[in-house]
Amino acid sequence: MELPKRTKINEGVYLHTLRVGHFKTNIINFNIQRPLTKEEVTYNALLPMILERGTQSHPTSKAISDSLDYLYGASFNTNVDKKGERQIIQFSLMLANDQFVEESVFEKGLVLLNEIIHGPFLENGAFKKEYVNQEKKNLQDRISGRINDKMSYSLERCAEEMCKEEPFHIFPQGEIEDLEGIDETKLYKHYKKVMETSPIDIVVVGDIQHEKIVKMIKDTFKFNRKTVLENEREKVNFEVNKVNEVEENMEINQGKLTLGYRTNIPYEEAGYAALMVYSSILGGGAHSKLFLKVREEKSLCYYIFSQLEKFKSLMLISSGIEEAQYGETIKAVENQLKEMESGNISDMQMEHGKKAVITNLESLRDSSNGLANFILSQSLSQTNETINTMIEKIRGVAKADVVEVAEKIELDTIYFLKKA
């Protein structure tokens, strides 16, 4: 596998490519970065939903779908998420590798993608009112539906409570109360600002030469750029003065207990590799201390795991418990963190912890989309680290490095979603 290549296409627009020959598909991810702010988060979440409804020459979603079918069953998706305190609007097009079809489809796919992004269907100089009203209702349903996955909801809510004074607390799909004030004219005005001022990363993973893709992108995508926004690095170092305890009631069968920790270890520092190993040993799977001690030995929870939020340097521990086990579960979890801090980590735990992290990193190579999102994450992090260099760092982590990480971690928030 070649190393990723990067070329500036226009002001604030960069193309990243990774040439791999073992996939039967090529993927193009067009990523728009916006600051995560209350003022525009709902506008940004609504934009891709409108753009995929129709273009100037494909005025309906069915017309777009028919064109995708013509491109040997190409698939197109949009997504809105947050990475740290940036809202990412993503347009993703997956096409058959030209080697496996009778004609070249990559360039034709680029033309369609460009039209979806840069040539939206308009009425009277704005987005079509009918489409906007329909998608506002769909977005409202999506926002309301976040509670359906109670585990994910609890993780999100814990992070929101931890960071309630920081932009990171903002839900990337927006707020229902903002929808009423959005109309087709305001949204189109915002769209033009987004396309003129946003940093853009185009990531292509597939079996095509970088130089060829550069030419096709420059020939196909016509950007009208103004002063491009600069997204600031998130603040990650915090001192916890008091643990925040939050309870929320809902009609559920099983309580969801989430503990949020400040790690105070930014991803730029060498210690971040040790933090990844730390989280793996603590709660990264069936090998972990939390699973073996809190779930298996003490039977305090139905599930338990830890995960990291890279851009904000947070660690979240999620568990499903009975309400009566609340206090004892927190105590048991905190005991395992103390065990880590005291260096009670066996060689086997180090080995299993590292192996789990390495397996997760290696699994990114199994899909073109996994690789494309890894490249985007590294670009946002302004690092040239590859999967291989990250694996080598993980292998080099010593027990003393993990203990040093453990000494920095502070409990910030306890969030409990319990039965109403």
Side-chain angles (χ1 to χ4, degrees), residues 204-232:
V204 179
V205 176
D207 193 14
I208 306 179
Q209 291 181 343
H210 177 79
E211 293 74 17
K212 186 176 180 180
I213 300 173
V214 170
K215 183 179 187 307
M216 286 191 286
I217 293 287
K218 287 184 174 180
D219 290 345
T220 305
F221 287 84
K222 303 303 179 185
F223 296 96
N224 178 24
R225 306 291 278 169
K226 293 186 178 178
T227 302
V228 177
L229 296 173
E230 291 187 13
N231 290 312
E232 295 181 359

Short mmCIF file of all heavy atoms in Angstrom, two decimals, residues 204-232:
data_model
loop_
_atom_site.label_atom_id
_atom_site.label_comp_id
_atom_site.label_asym_id
_atom_site.label_seq_id
_atom_site.Cartn_x
_atom_site.Cartn_y
_atom_site.Cartn_z
N VAL A 204 -9.86 10.44 -1.53
CA VAL A 204 -10.12 9.39 -2.51
C VAL A 204 -9.26 8.17 -2.16
O VAL A 204 -8.04 8.28 -2.03
CB VAL A 204 -9.81 9.85 -3.95
CG1 VAL A 204 -10.07 8.72 -4.95
CG2 VAL A 204 -10.64 11.08 -4.31
N VAL A 205 -9.91 7.03 -2.00
CA VAL A 205 -9.20 5.77 -1.76
C VAL A 205 -9.60 4.80 -2.86
O VAL A 205 -10.79 4.52 -3.05
CB VAL A 205 -9.54 5.18 -0.37
CG1 VAL A 205 -8.87 3.82 -0.19
CG2 VAL A 205 -9.11 6.13 0.74
N GLY A 206 -8.62 4.30 -3.58
CA GLY A 206 -8.92 3.37 -4.67
C GLY A 206 -7.73 3.16 -5.57
O GLY A 206 -6.63 3.63 -5.30
N ASP A 207 -7.97 2.50 -6.67
CA ASP A 207 -6.90 2.11 -7.59
C ASP A 207 -6.77 3.10 -8.74
O ASP A 207 -7.01 2.78 -9.90
CB ASP A 207 -7.18 0.69 -8.12
CG ASP A 207 -5.96 0.10 -8.82
OD1 ASP A 207 -4.85 0.66 -8.66
OD2 ASP A 207 -6.11 -0.91 -9.52
N ILE A 208 -6.40 4.36 -8.38
CA ILE A 208 -6.23 5.41 -9.38
C ILE A 208 -5.01 6.25 -8.99
O ILE A 208 -4.79 6.53 -7.81
CB ILE A 208 -7.47 6.33 -9.48
CG1 ILE A 208 -8.73 5.51 -9.74
CG2 ILE A 208 -7.30 7.36 -10.58
CD1 ILE A 208 -9.99 6.34 -9.83
N GLN A 209 -4.24 6.66 -9.98
CA GLN A 209 -3.04 7.46 -9.72
C GLN A 209 -3.42 8.84 -9.19
O GLN A 209 -4.38 9.46 -9.65
CB GLN A 209 -2.22 7.61 -11.00
CG GLN A 209 -1.56 6.33 -11.49
CD GLN A 209 -0.74 6.56 -12.75
OE1 GLN A 209 -0.90 7.57 -13.41
NE2 GLN A 209 0.14 5.63 -13.06
N HIS A 210 -2.61 9.32 -8.24
CA HIS A 210 -2.86 10.62 -7.62
C HIS A 210 -2.92 11.74 -8.67
O HIS A 210 -3.84 12.56 -8.66
CB HIS A 210 -1.75 10.91 -6.60
CG HIS A 210 -1.88 12.25 -5.95
ND1 HIS A 210 -2.76 12.49 -4.92
CD2 HIS A 210 -1.22 13.43 -6.18
CE1 HIS A 210 -2.65 13.76 -4.54
NE2 HIS A 210 -1.72 14.34 -5.29
N GLU A 211 -1.95 11.79 -9.56
CA GLU A 211 -1.88 12.88 -10.54
C GLU A 211 -3.10 12.89 -11.44
O GLU A 211 -3.60 13.95 -11.84
CB GLU A 211 -0.60 12.74 -11.39
CG GLU A 211 0.69 12.97 -10.61
CD GLU A 211 1.06 11.81 -9.69
OE1 GLU A 211 0.50 10.70 -9.88
OE2 GLU A 211 1.86 12.01 -8.76
N LYS A 212 -3.61 11.72 -11.77
CA LYS A 212 -4.80 11.63 -12.61
C LYS A 212 -6.02 12.18 -11.88
O LYS A 212 -6.85 12.89 -12.46
CB LYS A 212 -5.03 10.17 -13.01
CG LYS A 212 -6.16 9.96 -14.00
CD LYS A 212 -6.26 8.50 -14.41
CE LYS A 212 -7.39 8.28 -15.41
NZ LYS A 212 -7.51 6.85 -15.82
N ILE A 213 -6.12 11.86 -10.57
CA ILE A 213 -7.25 12.36 -9.78
C ILE A 213 -7.16 13.87 -9.63
O ILE A 213 -8.18 14.57 -9.72
CB ILE A 213 -7.27 11.68 -8.40
CG1 ILE A 213 -7.42 10.17 -8.54
CG2 ILE A 213 -8.44 12.23 -7.57
CD1 ILE A 213 -7.29 9.41 -7.24
N VAL A 214 -5.95 14.41 -9.43
CA VAL A 214 -5.77 15.86 -9.31
C VAL A 214 -6.33 16.56 -10.53
O VAL A 214 -7.10 17.53 -10.42
CB VAL A 214 -4.28 16.22 -9.12
CG1 VAL A 214 -4.08 17.73 -9.24
CG2 VAL A 214 -3.77 15.74 -7.77
N LYS A 215 -5.98 16.06 -11.70
CA LYS A 215 -6.46 16.69 -12.95
C LYS A 215 -7.98 16.60 -13.07
O LYS A 215 -8.65 17.59 -13.42
CB LYS A 215 -5.80 16.02 -14.16
CG LYS A 215 -6.18 16.67 -15.49
CD LYS A 215 -5.49 16.01 -16.66
CE LYS A 215 -5.75 16.77 -17.96
NZ LYS A 215 -7.20 17.00 -18.21
N MET A 216 -8.53 15.44 -12.75
CA MET A 216 -9.98 15.28 -12.87
C MET A 216 -10.72 16.18 -11.88
O MET A 216 -11.75 16.77 -12.22
CB MET A 216 -10.37 13.81 -12.66
CG MET A 216 -10.02 12.92 -13.84
SD MET A 216 -10.76 11.27 -13.73
CE MET A 216 -9.73 10.54 -12.46
N ILE A 217 -10.20 16.28 -10.66
CA ILE A 217 -10.84 17.14 -9.66
C ILE A 217 -10.79 18.60 -10.11
O ILE A 217 -11.80 19.33 -10.05
CB ILE A 217 -10.15 16.99 -8.28
CG1 ILE A 217 -10.39 15.59 -7.70
CG2 ILE A 217 -10.63 18.07 -7.32
CD1 ILE A 217 -11.77 15.33 -7.18
N LYS A 218 -9.64 19.04 -10.59
CA LYS A 218 -9.50 20.44 -11.03
C LYS A 218 -10.38 20.73 -12.24
O LYS A 218 -10.93 21.83 -12.37
CB LYS A 218 -8.04 20.75 -11.34
CG LYS A 218 -7.17 20.88 -10.10
CD LYS A 218 -5.74 21.27 -10.45
CE LYS A 218 -4.91 21.53 -9.20
NZ LYS A 218 -3.51 21.92 -9.52
N ASP A 219 -10.52 19.75 -13.13
CA ASP A 219 -11.34 19.94 -14.32
C ASP A 219 -12.83 19.91 -14.01
O ASP A 219 -13.64 20.54 -14.70
CB ASP A 219 -11.04 18.86 -15.36
CG ASP A 219 -9.66 19.02 -15.99
OD1 ASP A 219 -9.07 20.11 -15.85
OD2 ASP A 219 -9.18 18.05 -16.62
N THR A 220 -13.21 19.18 -12.96
CA THR A 220 -14.63 18.95 -12.68
C THR A 220 -15.21 19.91 -11.65
O THR A 220 -16.29 20.46 -11.84
CB THR A 220 -14.84 17.50 -12.18
OG1 THR A 220 -14.31 16.58 -13.14
CG2 THR A 220 -16.33 17.21 -11.97
N PHE A 221 -14.49 20.12 -10.54
CA PHE A 221 -15.00 20.94 -9.44
C PHE A 221 -14.59 22.39 -9.63
O PHE A 221 -13.40 22.70 -9.69
CB PHE A 221 -14.49 20.42 -8.10
CG PHE A 221 -15.14 19.14 -7.65
CD1 PHE A 221 -14.67 17.92 -8.12
CD2 PHE A 221 -16.22 19.14 -6.79
CE1 PHE A 221 -15.25 16.73 -7.72
CE2 PHE A 221 -16.81 17.96 -6.38
CZ PHE A 221 -16.32 16.75 -6.86
N LYS A 222 -15.57 23.28 -9.72
CA LYS A 222 -15.31 24.71 -9.88
C LYS A 222 -15.70 25.43 -8.59
O LYS A 222 -16.87 25.57 -8.27
CB LYS A 222 -16.11 25.27 -11.07
CG LYS A 222 -15.83 24.55 -12.39
CD LYS A 222 -14.34 24.59 -12.76
CE LYS A 222 -14.07 23.83 -14.07
NZ LYS A 222 -12.61 23.77 -14.37
N PHE A 223 -14.68 25.85 -7.85
CA PHE A 223 -14.91 26.47 -6.56
C PHE A 223 -14.94 27.99 -6.67
O PHE A 223 -14.15 28.58 -7.42
CB PHE A 223 -13.81 26.07 -5.57
CG PHE A 223 -13.79 24.60 -5.25
CD1 PHE A 223 -12.93 23.74 -5.93
CD2 PHE A 223 -14.61 24.08 -4.28
CE1 PHE A 223 -12.91 22.39 -5.64
CE2 PHE A 223 -14.60 22.73 -3.98
CZ PHE A 223 -13.74 21.87 -4.66
N ASN A 224 -15.84 28.62 -5.92
CA ASN A 224 -15.89 30.07 -5.79
C ASN A 224 -15.55 30.38 -4.34
O ASN A 224 -16.40 30.33 -3.45
CB ASN A 224 -17.28 30.60 -6.15
CG ASN A 224 -17.38 32.11 -5.98
OD1 ASN A 224 -16.37 32.82 -6.01
ND2 ASN A 224 -18.59 32.60 -5.77
N ARG A 225 -14.27 30.70 -4.10
CA ARG A 225 -13.79 30.79 -2.72
C ARG A 225 -13.58 32.24 -2.29
O ARG A 225 -13.16 33.10 -3.06
CB ARG A 225 -12.46 30.04 -2.58
CG ARG A 225 -12.54 28.60 -3.07
CD ARG A 225 -13.40 27.76 -2.17
NE ARG A 225 -12.66 27.31 -1.00
CZ ARG A 225 -13.23 26.72 0.06
NH1 ARG A 225 -14.53 26.57 0.11
NH2 ARG A 225 -12.49 26.31 1.06
N LYS A 226 -13.86 32.47 -1.00
CA LYS A 226 -13.57 33.76 -0.36
C LYS A 226 -12.61 33.49 0.79
O LYS A 226 -11.85 32.52 0.74
CB LYS A 226 -14.87 34.43 0.08
CG LYS A 226 -15.76 34.85 -1.09
CD LYS A 226 -16.97 35.63 -0.65
CE LYS A 226 -17.79 36.07 -1.86
NZ LYS A 226 -19.01 36.81 -1.46
N THR A 227 -12.60 34.30 1.81
CA THR A 227 -11.71 34.08 2.95
C THR A 227 -12.15 32.81 3.68
O THR A 227 -13.29 32.69 4.12
CB THR A 227 -11.75 35.27 3.92
OG1 THR A 227 -11.37 36.46 3.21
CG2 THR A 227 -10.78 35.04 5.08
N VAL A 228 -11.21 31.86 3.80
CA VAL A 228 -11.53 30.55 4.38
C VAL A 228 -11.36 30.60 5.90
O VAL A 228 -10.38 31.14 6.41
CB VAL A 228 -10.64 29.45 3.76
CG1 VAL A 228 -10.92 28.10 4.40
CG2 VAL A 228 -10.86 29.39 2.25
N LEU A 229 -12.32 30.01 6.59
CA LEU A 229 -12.28 29.97 8.05
C LEU A 229 -11.09 29.15 8.54
O LEU A 229 -10.67 28.18 7.89
CB LEU A 229 -13.56 29.34 8.60
CG LEU A 229 -14.88 30.07 8.35
CD1 LEU A 229 -16.04 29.20 8.82
CD2 LEU A 229 -14.90 31.40 9.11
N GLU A 230 -10.57 29.51 9.69
CA GLU A 230 -9.56 28.70 10.36
C GLU A 230 -10.16 28.16 11.65
O GLU A 230 -10.56 28.92 12.53
CB GLU A 230 -8.31 29.53 10.68
CG GLU A 230 -7.52 29.94 9.45
CD GLU A 230 -6.20 30.61 9.81
OE1 GLU A 230 -5.81 30.53 11.00
OE2 GLU A 230 -5.58 31.21 8.92
N ASN A 231 -10.26 26.85 11.73
CA ASN A 231 -10.82 26.22 12.92
C ASN A 231 -9.74 26.07 13.98
O ASN A 231 -8.67 25.52 13.74
CB ASN A 231 -11.40 24.85 12.57
CG ASN A 231 -12.66 24.95 11.73
OD1 ASN A 231 -13.56 25.71 12.06
ND2 ASN A 231 -12.73 24.20 10.64
N GLU A 232 -10.03 26.58 15.18
CA GLU A 232 -9.05 26.55 16.25
C GLU A 232 -8.97 25.17 16.89
O GLU A 232 -9.94 24.42 16.91
CB GLU A 232 -9.42 27.58 17.32
CG GLU A 232 -9.37 29.02 16.85
CD GLU A 232 -9.71 30.00 17.95
OE1 GLU A 232 -10.00 29.55 19.08
OE2 GLU A 232 -9.67 31.22 17.69
#
